[in-house]
Amino acid sequence: MSEQSLVERITYLENKVTILARLAEISTALNSRVQLEPLLKQIMKTAVEITGSEAASVLLWNNNKQQLFFAASTTISRTDDPLLGMPVPMDSIAGTILKENRTLQVDDARSDPRHYNKVDEDIQFQTRSLLGVPMTYKDRVIGVLEAINKRNLPWTEDDKMYLNNLAAQAAVAIEGAQLVMELKRANEELSEVDKLKNDFIAIASHELRT
């Protein structure tokens, strides 16, 4: 092995160790967050870092509406952006990933008929390449994690491994955060019911006394 090859190999291994350490670190961070919005931001930030990409997106599956929609994206600069909550066709790249539950690499998104151009038009962004992986929780696909526009193509097997690892951690954390949100809503509804019940009893008691 030449000296240059040795240096390249050492650099590659050092980078791999750094990324794996980052994934181990982010596992704790993700599971310590209970609010969905900061959790999604952390997932996307990490996806960009570990794959050397320009942007990332998280799309989640709404089982009630039977729709895949944008939950978050680093291409969005405002929290009120119309892209948030936008449904994505199931014949799109993300829809294919969800339906087939498999990693999908697209080196030239503009020439792929599955690319959903409306998103780029709405946010004035150009998707050139994309790596997407399914987010699976207990054998159920709950969404898709995408890394967009790798700075130095091609996408590598390491990119796929890192992003799949992050997606697995993200799925568990997202399910946990959504469960907390549902419990919070249920408690708020119960509190409202209790208040209405107490108000009714107070009014009824007053009427009986008078």
Side-chain angles (χ1 to χ4, degrees):
M1 182 180 289
S2 67
E3 183 176 342
Q4 182 179 350
S5 297
L6 183 59
V7 170
E8 290 174 353
R9 180 64 176 169
I10 291 172
T11 301
Y12 164 76
L13 290 174
E14 287 177 341
N15 183 58
K16 189 168 186 174
V17 167
T18 300
I19 292 176
L20 291 174
R22 174 66 174 146
L23 286 169
E25 174 189 322
I26 201 66
S27 177
T28 302
L30 290 181
N31 287 295
S32 66
R33 294 183 182 277
V34 293
Q35 293 185 322
L36 189 59
E37 185 176 342
L39 173 63
L40 294 175
K41 287 181 179 178
Q42 184 67 64
I43 292 167
M44 292 184 299
K45 179 183 176 183
T46 305
V48 167
E49 289 176 1
I50 64 177
T51 59
S53 304
E54 291 180 5
S57 296
V58 175
L59 300 94
L60 296 177
W61 175 250
N62 185 317
N63 200 48
N64 292 328
K65 295 182 178 181
Q66 291 291 293
Q67 283 183 339
L68 181 65
F69 68 94
F70 272 98
S73 175
T74 55
T75 59
I76 300 173
S77 58
R78 308 188 314 276
T79 55
D80 61 343
D81 197 292
L83 180 59
L84 291 175
M86 176 189 288
V88 178
M90 292 307 291
D91 60 355
S92 64
I93 295 172
T96 302
I97 294 168
L98 185 89
K99 284 187 300 184
E100 299 181 4
N101 189 16
R102 67 181 178 93
T103 299
L104 193 57
Q105 170 187 333
V106 177
D107 294 326
D108 184 3
R110 289 165 292 185
S111 66
D112 193 312
R114 296 169 298 183
H115 177 50
Y116 190 41
N117 292 314
K118 188 178 186 305
V119 173
D120 287 358
E121 293 169 3
D122 287 351
I123 62 175
Q124 300 298 301
F125 182 83
Q126 187 178 73
T127 301
R128 299 187 302 277
S129 65
L130 182 150
L131 178 65
V133 300
M135 292 191 295
T136 306
Y137 179 77
K138 292 184 177 179
D139 298 324
R140 178 170 54 89
V141 184
I142 67 165
V144 175
L145 175 60
E146 296 178 337
I148 304 161
N149 295 351
K150 185 171 175 66
R151 291 187 174 88
N152 296 303
L153 285 172
W155 299 99
T156 67
E157 290 302 313
D158 282 344
D159 290 331
K160 296 174 185 178
M161 178 184 71
Y162 300 149
L163 203 61
N164 272 292
N165 188 309
L166 176 62
Q169 298 177 33
V172 174
I174 288 171
E175 280 291 298
Q178 289 181 325
L179 178 59
V180 169
M181 288 172 60
E182 289 172 8
L183 288 172
K184 184 178 179 181
R185 280 196 296 267
N187 284 329
E188 289 172 352
E189 290 172 1
L190 283 173
S191 296
E192 182 65 21
V193 168
D194 282 342
K195 182 178 182 301
L196 291 172
K197 183 176 69 175
N198 291 334
D199 289 347
F200 173 78
I201 291 172
I203 293 170
S205 297
H206 176 72
E207 292 295 326
L208 286 171
R209 284 197 299 271
T210 56

